Amino acid sequence: MMTPWLNNPAFGIALSVACYQFGVFLNKRTRLAFFNPLLISVVLIILFLLMTGIPYDDFSKGGNIINFMLGPTTVALALPLYLHWKDIKRFIIPILIGIIAGCLASLTGVLLLGKVFGINSLLIHSMAPKSITTPIGVALSQSLGGNPSITVAAIIFTGILGAIIAPSVMRIFRIKSNIAKGIAMGTAAHAVGTSKAIEMGKTEGAMSSAAIGLSGLITVIIVPFLLPLFERFL
């Protein structure tokens, strides 16, 4: 017999918020990059649903509401672009070159790995938008004939991995510029990377937020044209 509270969207929202807040608490207490709040919340939600036998469809009634808010959040990315337009305008050429290079590297990496491991075109088209924010990535995946569910999983994995390894990568390559750090985080690891960039500093967070919107726009423009060409020659 179905428990009434499971039919309430508040259940999915409350579970998501509780698991994420526990992830934030664990991350602050351990100060370990591996304990990313999003990663922790995903693992906890999966374990909770498996242990209780609660169907995913019941949880998703609230989860879909959170997912719906990603659209307005994406539009709100115009705010950091406006607030930091002077910095962006001052370094517009290197910023655009960096973001375009990051978008091309992401697409090329997917295609090369697809060729090496013999991945079919459906998976390649689904993973091509892996480095941009979810609403834009899902829309682009659908236009390419990909599977949105695979796209979401690839985007989440990319963001979490980027947030975990980015500080170490920047230390290894001795990247000192706060603007460069932020642009790299936003371009490679979208919103999850931006959350880490905000921890690194105000400039890094602002540039990362701006890079999310710019990289999403650039990816939407170049991928539909370059993907068929890359697939033909690789």
Side-chain angles (χ1 to χ4, degrees):
M1 184 175 181
M2 186 65 66
T3 306
W5 56 270
L6 291 179
N7 287 320
N8 194 323
F11 163 69
I13 296 174
L15 179 61
S16 299
V17 172
C19 291
Y20 184 81
Q21 287 301 317
F22 179 77
V24 171
F25 167 78
L26 190 62
N27 180 267
K28 289 182 178 180
R29 288 297 298 269
T30 62
R31 297 188 178 278
L32 296 175
F34 179 77
F35 289 112
N36 180 275
L38 182 59
L39 176 61
I40 296 299
S41 62
V42 169
V43 172
L44 288 178
I45 290 171
I46 292 174
L47 290 176
F48 181 83
L49 295 180
L50 289 175
M51 293 176 64
T52 59
I54 296 174
Y56 174 78
D57 289 342
D58 291 332
F59 162 76
S60 66
K61 292 176 182 177
N64 288 338
I65 294 177
I66 297 176
N67 187 58
F68 171 79
M69 295 305 297
L70 290 174
T73 301
T74 303
V75 175
L77 292 174
L79 181 60
L81 282 172
Y82 171 76
L83 293 177
H84 297 275
W85 178 243
K86 289 184 179 179
D87 291 330
I88 294 173
K89 186 178 179 180
R90 182 183 176 190
F91 299 102
I92 187 64
I93 299 301
I95 285 175
L96 287 178
I97 291 175
I99 292 176
I100 292 172
C103 294
L104 290 175
S106 175
L107 176 60
T108 304
V110 169
L111 291 170
L112 288 176
L113 289 174
K115 188 173 182 62
V116 170
F117 293 101
I119 298 175
N120 61 45
S121 59
L122 173 64
L123 288 176
I124 290 175
H125 292 181
S126 301
M127 293 189 295
K130 66 179 180 61
S131 292
I132 58 178
T133 189
T134 303
I136 301 176
V138 169
L140 179 57
S141 173
Q142 291 173 331
S143 69
L144 296 173
N147 186 314
S149 297
I150 296 175
T151 302
V152 171
I155 289 173
I156 293 174
F157 176 80
T158 301
I160 293 174
L161 181 63
I164 291 174
I165 70 173
S168 299
V169 171
M170 290 176 184
R171 283 196 299 270
I172 292 172
F173 289 95
R174 298 180 181 179
I175 299 175
K176 304 297 183 182
S177 170
N178 294 335
I179 293 177
K181 291 179 181 179
I183 293 298
M185 294 288 285
T187 302
H190 49 83
V192 183
T194 299
S195 67
K196 184 64 180 179
I198 292 173
E199 296 178 12
M200 297 167 67
K202 291 183 179 180
T203 302
E204 289 91 331
M207 290 298 105
S208 185
S209 299
I212 294 175
L214 290 172
S215 63
L217 177 62
I218 291 171
T219 299
V220 168
I221 293 173
I222 68 174
V223 167
F225 293 100
L226 294 182
L227 185 58
L229 294 176
F230 280 25
E231 288 180 322
R232 183 180 303 174
F233 293 105
L234 288 179

Short mmCIF file of all heavy atoms in Angstrom, two decimals, residues 153-223:
data_model
loop_
_atom_site.label_atom_id
_atom_site.label_comp_id
_atom_site.label_asym_id
_atom_site.label_seq_id
_atom_site.Cartn_x
_atom_site.Cartn_y
_atom_site.Cartn_z
N ALA A 153 23.92 12.20 -16.62
CA ALA A 153 24.91 11.42 -15.86
C ALA A 153 26.33 11.87 -16.20
O ALA A 153 27.19 12.01 -15.32
CB ALA A 153 24.73 9.93 -16.15
N ALA A 154 26.60 12.10 -17.50
CA ALA A 154 27.92 12.52 -17.93
C ALA A 154 28.26 13.91 -17.40
O ALA A 154 29.40 14.17 -16.98
CB ALA A 154 28.00 12.51 -19.46
N ILE A 155 27.28 14.81 -17.40
CA ILE A 155 27.49 16.17 -16.89
C ILE A 155 27.80 16.15 -15.40
O ILE A 155 28.72 16.82 -14.93
CB ILE A 155 26.25 17.04 -17.18
CG1 ILE A 155 26.15 17.33 -18.68
CG2 ILE A 155 26.31 18.36 -16.40
CD1 ILE A 155 24.88 18.04 -19.09
N ILE A 156 27.02 15.37 -14.64
CA ILE A 156 27.25 15.29 -13.20
C ILE A 156 28.63 14.70 -12.90
O ILE A 156 29.38 15.22 -12.06
CB ILE A 156 26.15 14.44 -12.52
CG1 ILE A 156 24.80 15.16 -12.61
CG2 ILE A 156 26.51 14.14 -11.07
CD1 ILE A 156 23.64 14.34 -12.10
N PHE A 157 28.98 13.61 -13.59
CA PHE A 157 30.28 12.97 -13.37
C PHE A 157 31.41 13.94 -13.70
O PHE A 157 32.39 14.05 -12.95
CB PHE A 157 30.40 11.71 -14.23
CG PHE A 157 31.74 11.04 -14.13
CD1 PHE A 157 32.05 10.24 -13.04
CD2 PHE A 157 32.70 11.23 -15.12
CE1 PHE A 157 33.30 9.62 -12.94
CE2 PHE A 157 33.95 10.63 -15.03
CZ PHE A 157 34.24 9.83 -13.94
N THR A 158 31.29 14.64 -14.83
CA THR A 158 32.32 15.59 -15.24
C THR A 158 32.49 16.71 -14.22
O THR A 158 33.62 17.09 -13.86
CB THR A 158 31.97 16.20 -16.61
OG1 THR A 158 31.86 15.17 -17.58
CG2 THR A 158 33.03 17.20 -17.06
N GLY A 159 31.37 17.24 -13.74
CA GLY A 159 31.42 18.32 -12.76
C GLY A 159 32.08 17.89 -11.46
O GLY A 159 32.94 18.60 -10.91
N ILE A 160 31.68 16.72 -10.95
CA ILE A 160 32.25 16.23 -9.70
C ILE A 160 33.74 15.95 -9.85
O ILE A 160 34.55 16.33 -9.00
CB ILE A 160 31.50 14.96 -9.24
CG1 ILE A 160 30.06 15.31 -8.85
CG2 ILE A 160 32.22 14.30 -8.07
CD1 ILE A 160 29.20 14.10 -8.52
N LEU A 161 34.11 15.28 -10.95
CA LEU A 161 35.52 14.97 -11.18
C LEU A 161 36.35 16.25 -11.30
O LEU A 161 37.44 16.36 -10.73
CB LEU A 161 35.67 14.13 -12.45
CG LEU A 161 37.10 13.69 -12.81
CD1 LEU A 161 37.67 12.79 -11.71
CD2 LEU A 161 37.12 12.96 -14.16
N GLY A 162 35.80 17.23 -12.02
CA GLY A 162 36.51 18.49 -12.18
C GLY A 162 36.72 19.21 -10.86
O GLY A 162 37.80 19.74 -10.58
N ALA A 163 35.68 19.22 -10.02
CA ALA A 163 35.79 19.89 -8.72
C ALA A 163 36.80 19.20 -7.82
O ALA A 163 37.48 19.84 -7.01
CB ALA A 163 34.42 19.91 -8.05
N ILE A 164 36.93 17.88 -7.96
CA ILE A 164 37.85 17.12 -7.11
C ILE A 164 39.30 17.31 -7.52
O ILE A 164 40.18 17.52 -6.69
CB ILE A 164 37.48 15.61 -7.12
CG1 ILE A 164 36.15 15.39 -6.40
CG2 ILE A 164 38.57 14.77 -6.46
CD1 ILE A 164 35.62 13.98 -6.49
N ILE A 165 39.57 17.23 -8.83
CA ILE A 165 40.97 17.22 -9.29
C ILE A 165 41.50 18.59 -9.69
O ILE A 165 42.72 18.76 -9.78
CB ILE A 165 41.16 16.25 -10.47
CG1 ILE A 165 40.47 16.78 -11.73
CG2 ILE A 165 40.65 14.85 -10.11
CD1 ILE A 165 40.77 15.96 -12.97
N ALA A 166 40.62 19.57 -9.91
CA ALA A 166 41.08 20.88 -10.41
C ALA A 166 42.14 21.54 -9.54
O ALA A 166 43.16 22.03 -10.07
CB ALA A 166 39.89 21.81 -10.60
N PRO A 167 41.96 21.61 -8.20
CA PRO A 167 43.00 22.28 -7.38
C PRO A 167 44.37 21.63 -7.54
O PRO A 167 45.38 22.34 -7.63
CB PRO A 167 42.46 22.11 -5.95
CG PRO A 167 40.98 22.01 -6.13
CD PRO A 167 40.79 21.22 -7.39
N SER A 168 44.40 20.31 -7.61
CA SER A 168 45.68 19.61 -7.78
C SER A 168 46.29 19.88 -9.15
O SER A 168 47.50 20.09 -9.28
CB SER A 168 45.49 18.10 -7.58
OG SER A 168 45.02 17.81 -6.28
N VAL A 169 45.44 19.87 -10.18
CA VAL A 169 45.93 20.14 -11.53
C VAL A 169 46.53 21.54 -11.62
O VAL A 169 47.59 21.75 -12.24
CB VAL A 169 44.78 19.99 -12.55
CG1 VAL A 169 45.20 20.49 -13.94
CG2 VAL A 169 44.33 18.54 -12.64
N MET A 170 45.88 22.51 -10.99
CA MET A 170 46.36 23.88 -11.03
C MET A 170 47.67 24.04 -10.28
O MET A 170 48.52 24.84 -10.65
CB MET A 170 45.29 24.83 -10.49
CG MET A 170 44.10 24.94 -11.42
SD MET A 170 42.77 25.98 -10.75
CE MET A 170 41.53 25.77 -12.04
N ARG A 171 47.83 23.28 -9.20
CA ARG A 171 49.11 23.32 -8.48
C ARG A 171 50.22 22.69 -9.31
O ARG A 171 51.34 23.22 -9.37
CB ARG A 171 48.99 22.59 -7.14
CG ARG A 171 48.26 23.39 -6.06
CD ARG A 171 48.51 22.80 -4.69
NE ARG A 171 48.00 21.43 -4.61
CZ ARG A 171 46.76 21.12 -4.23
NH1 ARG A 171 45.91 22.08 -3.91
NH2 ARG A 171 46.38 19.86 -4.16
N ILE A 172 49.92 21.58 -9.97
CA ILE A 172 50.92 20.89 -10.77
C ILE A 172 51.41 21.76 -11.91
O ILE A 172 52.62 21.85 -12.19
CB ILE A 172 50.35 19.56 -11.32
CG1 ILE A 172 50.10 18.57 -10.17
CG2 ILE A 172 51.29 18.95 -12.36
CD1 ILE A 172 49.37 17.32 -10.58
N PHE A 173 50.48 22.45 -12.58
CA PHE A 173 50.84 23.29 -13.72
C PHE A 173 51.12 24.75 -13.33
O PHE A 173 51.30 25.60 -14.19
CB PHE A 173 49.74 23.23 -14.78
CG PHE A 173 49.66 21.90 -15.49
CD1 PHE A 173 48.78 20.92 -15.06
CD2 PHE A 173 50.50 21.62 -16.56
CE1 PHE A 173 48.71 19.69 -15.70
CE2 PHE A 173 50.44 20.40 -17.20
CZ PHE A 173 49.55 19.42 -16.77
N ARG A 174 51.11 25.01 -12.03
CA ARG A 174 51.48 26.32 -11.48
C ARG A 174 50.65 27.45 -12.09
O ARG A 174 51.19 28.48 -12.52
CB ARG A 174 52.97 26.57 -11.69
CG ARG A 174 53.85 25.56 -10.98
CD ARG A 174 55.32 25.83 -11.20
NE ARG A 174 56.15 24.84 -10.52
CZ ARG A 174 57.47 24.83 -10.57
NH1 ARG A 174 58.13 25.78 -11.25
NH2 ARG A 174 58.15 23.89 -9.94
N ILE A 175 49.36 27.25 -12.13
CA ILE A 175 48.46 28.29 -12.63
C ILE A 175 48.19 29.27 -11.49
O ILE A 175 47.59 28.90 -10.47
CB ILE A 175 47.14 27.67 -13.13
CG1 ILE A 175 47.43 26.72 -14.29
CG2 ILE A 175 46.16 28.76 -13.59
CD1 ILE A 175 46.21 25.95 -14.77
N LYS A 176 48.61 30.50 -11.65
CA LYS A 176 48.52 31.50 -10.59
C LYS A 176 47.37 32.49 -10.79
O LYS A 176 46.84 33.03 -9.83
CB LYS A 176 49.84 32.27 -10.49
CG LYS A 176 51.07 31.40 -10.26
CD LYS A 176 51.00 30.67 -8.93
CE LYS A 176 52.29 29.86 -8.68
NZ LYS A 176 52.22 29.11 -7.41
N SER A 177 47.00 32.76 -12.02
CA SER A 177 45.99 33.77 -12.31
C SER A 177 44.62 33.34 -11.79
O SER A 177 44.12 32.26 -12.12
CB SER A 177 45.90 34.00 -13.83
OG SER A 177 44.78 34.79 -14.15
N ASN A 178 44.01 34.21 -10.97
CA ASN A 178 42.67 33.92 -10.45
C ASN A 178 41.64 33.87 -11.57
O ASN A 178 40.70 33.07 -11.52
CB ASN A 178 42.27 34.98 -9.43
CG ASN A 178 43.14 34.95 -8.19
OD1 ASN A 178 43.73 33.93 -7.85
ND2 ASN A 178 43.25 36.07 -7.51
N ILE A 179 41.81 34.72 -12.57
CA ILE A 179 40.88 34.73 -13.70
C ILE A 179 41.00 33.43 -14.49
O ILE A 179 39.99 32.81 -14.86
CB ILE A 179 41.15 35.95 -14.61
CG1 ILE A 179 40.80 37.24 -13.86
CG2 ILE A 179 40.35 35.84 -15.91
CD1 ILE A 179 41.08 38.50 -14.66
N ALA A 180 42.23 32.99 -14.73
CA ALA A 180 42.45 31.75 -15.47
C ALA A 180 41.87 30.55 -14.72
O ALA A 180 41.26 29.66 -15.33
CB ALA A 180 43.94 31.54 -15.72
N LYS A 181 42.03 30.53 -13.41
CA LYS A 181 41.48 29.44 -12.61
C LYS A 181 39.96 29.38 -12.74
O LYS A 181 39.37 28.32 -12.94
CB LYS A 181 41.86 29.61 -11.14
CG LYS A 181 43.34 29.41 -10.84
CD LYS A 181 43.62 29.64 -9.36
CE LYS A 181 45.09 29.47 -9.03
NZ LYS A 181 45.36 29.72 -7.59
N GLY A 182 39.33 30.55 -12.61
CA GLY A 182 37.87 30.59 -12.69
C GLY A 182 37.34 30.20 -14.05
O GLY A 182 36.39 29.42 -14.16
N ILE A 183 37.97 30.71 -15.11
CA ILE A 183 37.53 30.39 -16.46
C ILE A 183 37.69 28.89 -16.72
O ILE A 183 36.81 28.24 -17.31
CB ILE A 183 38.33 31.19 -17.51
CG1 ILE A 183 37.99 32.69 -17.40
CG2 ILE A 183 38.05 30.69 -18.91
CD1 ILE A 183 36.54 33.03 -17.67
N ALA A 184 38.79 28.32 -16.28
CA ALA A 184 39.03 26.89 -16.47
C ALA A 184 37.98 26.06 -15.74
O ALA A 184 37.45 25.08 -16.29
CB ALA A 184 40.43 26.52 -15.98
N MET A 185 37.67 26.42 -14.50
CA MET A 185 36.71 25.67 -13.71
C MET A 185 35.32 25.72 -14.33
O MET A 185 34.63 24.70 -14.45
CB MET A 185 36.66 26.22 -12.29
CG MET A 185 37.93 26.04 -11.49
SD MET A 185 38.24 24.34 -11.00
CE MET A 185 37.04 24.16 -9.67
N GLY A 186 34.90 26.91 -14.74
CA GLY A 186 33.56 27.05 -15.31
C GLY A 186 33.43 26.37 -16.65
O GLY A 186 32.38 25.81 -16.98
N THR A 187 34.50 26.42 -17.46
CA THR A 187 34.46 25.82 -18.79
C THR A 187 34.48 24.30 -18.72
O THR A 187 33.76 23.63 -19.47
CB THR A 187 35.66 26.31 -19.63
OG1 THR A 187 35.62 27.74 -19.72
CG2 THR A 187 35.62 25.72 -21.02
N ALA A 188 35.31 23.75 -17.84
CA ALA A 188 35.48 22.30 -17.78
C ALA A 188 34.47 21.60 -16.88
O ALA A 188 34.11 20.44 -17.13
CB ALA A 188 36.90 21.97 -17.30
N ALA A 189 34.02 22.27 -15.83
CA ALA A 189 33.22 21.56 -14.82
C ALA A 189 31.95 22.29 -14.42
O ALA A 189 31.38 22.04 -13.35
CB ALA A 189 34.07 21.29 -13.57
N HIS A 190 31.47 23.21 -15.26
CA HIS A 190 30.19 23.94 -15.10
C HIS A 190 29.86 24.33 -13.66
O HIS A 190 30.73 24.81 -12.93
CB HIS A 190 29.05 23.14 -15.74
CG HIS A 190 28.98 21.68 -15.34
ND1 HIS A 190 28.39 21.26 -14.18
CD2 HIS A 190 29.43 20.55 -15.97
CE1 HIS A 190 28.48 19.94 -14.09
NE2 HIS A 190 29.10 19.48 -15.16
N ALA A 191 28.63 24.10 -13.21
CA ALA A 191 28.18 24.61 -11.91
C ALA A 191 28.87 23.93 -10.73
O ALA A 191 29.15 24.58 -9.71
CB ALA A 191 26.66 24.44 -11.77
N VAL A 192 29.15 22.64 -10.83
CA VAL A 192 29.81 21.94 -9.73
C VAL A 192 31.23 22.48 -9.56
O VAL A 192 31.69 22.71 -8.44
CB VAL A 192 29.85 20.42 -9.98
CG1 VAL A 192 30.47 19.70 -8.80
CG2 VAL A 192 28.46 19.89 -10.25
N GLY A 193 31.91 22.71 -10.68
CA GLY A 193 33.24 23.30 -10.61
C GLY A 193 33.19 24.72 -10.07
O GLY A 193 34.09 25.15 -9.34
N THR A 194 32.12 25.44 -10.41
CA THR A 194 31.97 26.81 -9.92
C THR A 194 31.83 26.86 -8.41
O THR A 194 32.33 27.77 -7.75
CB THR A 194 30.75 27.48 -10.59
OG1 THR A 194 30.97 27.52 -12.01
CG2 THR A 194 30.55 28.90 -10.08
N SER A 195 31.12 25.88 -7.85
CA SER A 195 30.99 25.83 -6.39
C SER A 195 32.35 25.69 -5.72
O SER A 195 32.60 26.26 -4.66
CB SER A 195 30.07 24.67 -5.97
OG SER A 195 30.67 23.42 -6.27
N LYS A 196 33.25 24.94 -6.38
CA LYS A 196 34.61 24.81 -5.86
C LYS A 196 35.40 26.08 -6.09
O LYS A 196 36.19 26.50 -5.24
CB LYS A 196 35.31 23.62 -6.54
CG LYS A 196 36.71 23.33 -6.00
CD LYS A 196 36.64 22.91 -4.54
CE LYS A 196 38.01 22.60 -3.97
NZ LYS A 196 37.95 22.20 -2.54
N ALA A 197 35.17 26.71 -7.25
CA ALA A 197 35.87 27.96 -7.56
C ALA A 197 35.51 29.05 -6.56
O ALA A 197 36.36 29.87 -6.19
CB ALA A 197 35.52 28.41 -8.98
N ILE A 198 34.26 29.09 -6.13
CA ILE A 198 33.83 30.08 -5.13
C ILE A 198 34.59 29.89 -3.82
O ILE A 198 34.94 30.86 -3.15
CB ILE A 198 32.31 29.96 -4.90
CG1 ILE A 198 31.56 30.42 -6.16
CG2 ILE A 198 31.86 30.79 -3.69
CD1 ILE A 198 30.07 30.19 -6.10
N GLU A 199 34.87 28.63 -3.46
CA GLU A 199 35.66 28.36 -2.27
C GLU A 199 37.09 28.87 -2.42
O GLU A 199 37.73 29.27 -1.45
CB GLU A 199 35.69 26.85 -1.98
CG GLU A 199 34.33 26.24 -1.64
CD GLU A 199 34.43 24.75 -1.43
OE1 GLU A 199 35.57 24.24 -1.31
OE2 GLU A 199 33.38 24.08 -1.37
N MET A 200 37.58 28.86 -3.66
CA MET A 200 38.96 29.29 -3.92
C MET A 200 39.12 30.80 -3.83
O MET A 200 40.19 31.30 -3.51
CB MET A 200 39.39 28.78 -5.30
CG MET A 200 39.41 27.25 -5.40
SD MET A 200 39.56 26.64 -7.11
CE MET A 200 41.20 27.17 -7.52
N GLY A 201 38.05 31.55 -4.13
CA GLY A 201 38.12 33.00 -4.05
C GLY A 201 37.00 33.67 -4.81
O GLY A 201 36.33 33.04 -5.64
N LYS A 202 36.77 34.95 -4.53
CA LYS A 202 35.67 35.69 -5.16
C LYS A 202 35.89 35.84 -6.67
O LYS A 202 34.95 35.68 -7.46
CB LYS A 202 35.52 37.06 -4.52
CG LYS A 202 35.02 37.02 -3.08
CD LYS A 202 34.83 38.42 -2.53
CE LYS A 202 34.30 38.38 -1.10
NZ LYS A 202 34.10 39.75 -0.55
N THR A 203 37.11 36.16 -7.06
CA THR A 203 37.39 36.33 -8.49
C THR A 203 37.22 35.02 -9.24
O THR A 203 36.62 34.97 -10.32
CB THR A 203 38.82 36.87 -8.71
OG1 THR A 203 38.96 38.11 -8.02
CG2 THR A 203 39.11 37.06 -10.18
N GLU A 204 37.76 33.94 -8.67
CA GLU A 204 37.63 32.63 -9.30
C GLU A 204 36.16 32.25 -9.46
O GLU A 204 35.74 31.75 -10.51
CB GLU A 204 38.34 31.56 -8.46
CG GLU A 204 39.85 31.64 -8.47
CD GLU A 204 40.36 32.50 -7.33
OE1 GLU A 204 39.64 33.42 -6.90
OE2 GLU A 204 41.49 32.25 -6.86
N GLY A 205 35.37 32.51 -8.41
CA GLY A 205 33.95 32.17 -8.47
C GLY A 205 33.20 32.98 -9.51
O GLY A 205 32.37 32.46 -10.26
N ALA A 206 33.51 34.28 -9.57
CA ALA A 206 32.84 35.15 -10.53
C ALA A 206 33.19 34.77 -11.96
O ALA A 206 32.32 34.70 -12.84
CB ALA A 206 33.23 36.60 -10.27
N MET A 207 34.47 34.53 -12.23
CA MET A 207 34.90 34.16 -13.58
C MET A 207 34.36 32.79 -13.98
O MET A 207 34.00 32.56 -15.13
CB MET A 207 36.43 34.15 -13.66
CG MET A 207 37.07 35.53 -13.58
SD MET A 207 36.60 36.63 -14.95
CE MET A 207 35.44 37.72 -14.12
N SER A 208 34.29 31.89 -13.02
CA SER A 208 33.75 30.56 -13.31
C SER A 208 32.26 30.65 -13.65
O SER A 208 31.79 29.99 -14.58
CB SER A 208 33.96 29.64 -12.10
OG SER A 208 33.54 28.32 -12.40
N SER A 209 31.52 31.48 -12.91
CA SER A 209 30.10 31.68 -13.20
C SER A 209 29.90 32.25 -14.60
O SER A 209 29.01 31.82 -15.34
CB SER A 209 29.49 32.62 -12.16
OG SER A 209 29.58 32.09 -10.86
N ALA A 210 30.75 33.22 -14.96
CA ALA A 210 30.65 33.80 -16.29
C ALA A 210 31.00 32.78 -17.37
O ALA A 210 30.37 32.75 -18.44
CB ALA A 210 31.59 35.01 -16.39
N ALA A 211 31.98 31.94 -17.07
CA ALA A 211 32.42 30.95 -18.06
C ALA A 211 31.34 29.91 -18.35
O ALA A 211 31.29 29.37 -19.46
CB ALA A 211 33.69 30.25 -17.57
N ILE A 212 30.50 29.63 -17.36
CA ILE A 212 29.42 28.65 -17.58
C ILE A 212 28.53 29.10 -18.73
O ILE A 212 28.23 28.33 -19.65
CB ILE A 212 28.58 28.46 -16.30
CG1 ILE A 212 29.40 27.83 -15.18
CG2 ILE A 212 27.37 27.57 -16.60
CD1 ILE A 212 28.65 27.73 -13.88
N GLY A 213 28.09 30.35 -18.66
CA GLY A 213 27.22 30.86 -19.70
C GLY A 213 27.91 30.95 -21.05
O GLY A 213 27.35 30.56 -22.08
N LEU A 214 29.15 31.45 -21.06
CA LEU A 214 29.88 31.61 -22.32
C LEU A 214 30.22 30.26 -22.95
O LEU A 214 30.07 30.08 -24.16
CB LEU A 214 31.17 32.40 -22.07
CG LEU A 214 30.98 33.89 -21.74
CD1 LEU A 214 32.31 34.52 -21.34
CD2 LEU A 214 30.41 34.63 -22.95
N SER A 215 30.65 29.31 -22.13
CA SER A 215 31.00 27.99 -22.67
C SER A 215 29.76 27.26 -23.19
O SER A 215 29.82 26.55 -24.20
CB SER A 215 31.71 27.14 -21.61
OG SER A 215 30.86 26.88 -20.50
N GLY A 216 28.63 27.45 -22.49
CA GLY A 216 27.38 26.85 -22.96
C GLY A 216 26.98 27.41 -24.31
O GLY A 216 26.60 26.66 -25.22
N LEU A 217 27.08 28.73 -24.45
CA LEU A 217 26.73 29.38 -25.71
C LEU A 217 27.65 28.93 -26.84
O LEU A 217 27.20 28.59 -27.94
CB LEU A 217 26.81 30.90 -25.53
CG LEU A 217 26.53 31.75 -26.78
CD1 LEU A 217 25.12 31.52 -27.29
CD2 LEU A 217 26.75 33.22 -26.47
N ILE A 218 28.95 28.92 -26.57
CA ILE A 218 29.92 28.53 -27.59
C ILE A 218 29.74 27.07 -27.99
O ILE A 218 29.81 26.72 -29.18
CB ILE A 218 31.36 28.78 -27.08
CG1 ILE A 218 31.60 30.30 -26.97
CG2 ILE A 218 32.40 28.14 -28.00
CD1 ILE A 218 32.89 30.66 -26.27
N THR A 219 29.50 26.21 -27.00
CA THR A 219 29.31 24.79 -27.29
C THR A 219 28.08 24.56 -28.17
O THR A 219 28.12 23.77 -29.12
CB THR A 219 29.17 23.98 -25.98
OG1 THR A 219 30.36 24.13 -25.20
CG2 THR A 219 28.95 22.50 -26.27
N VAL A 220 27.00 25.25 -27.86
CA VAL A 220 25.77 25.11 -28.65
C VAL A 220 26.01 25.55 -30.09
O VAL A 220 25.43 24.98 -31.03
CB VAL A 220 24.63 25.93 -28.02
CG1 VAL A 220 23.45 26.05 -28.97
CG2 VAL A 220 24.18 25.28 -26.72
N ILE A 221 26.88 26.54 -30.28
CA ILE A 221 27.15 27.05 -31.63
C ILE A 221 28.06 26.12 -32.42
O ILE A 221 27.80 25.81 -33.59
CB ILE A 221 27.77 28.46 -31.56
CG1 ILE A 221 26.73 29.46 -31.00
CG2 ILE A 221 28.26 28.92 -32.93
CD1 ILE A 221 27.31 30.84 -30.74
N ILE A 222 29.14 25.64 -31.79
CA ILE A 222 30.16 24.92 -32.55
C ILE A 222 29.94 23.41 -32.66
O ILE A 222 30.30 22.81 -33.68
CB ILE A 222 31.58 25.18 -31.96
CG1 ILE A 222 31.72 24.55 -30.57
CG2 ILE A 222 31.88 26.66 -31.92
CD1 ILE A 222 33.15 24.65 -30.02
N VAL A 223 29.33 22.80 -31.63
CA VAL A 223 29.21 21.34 -31.64
C VAL A 223 28.36 20.82 -32.80
O VAL A 223 28.76 19.86 -33.48
CB VAL A 223 28.67 20.82 -30.29
CG1 VAL A 223 28.24 19.36 -30.40
CG2 VAL A 223 29.74 20.96 -29.21
#
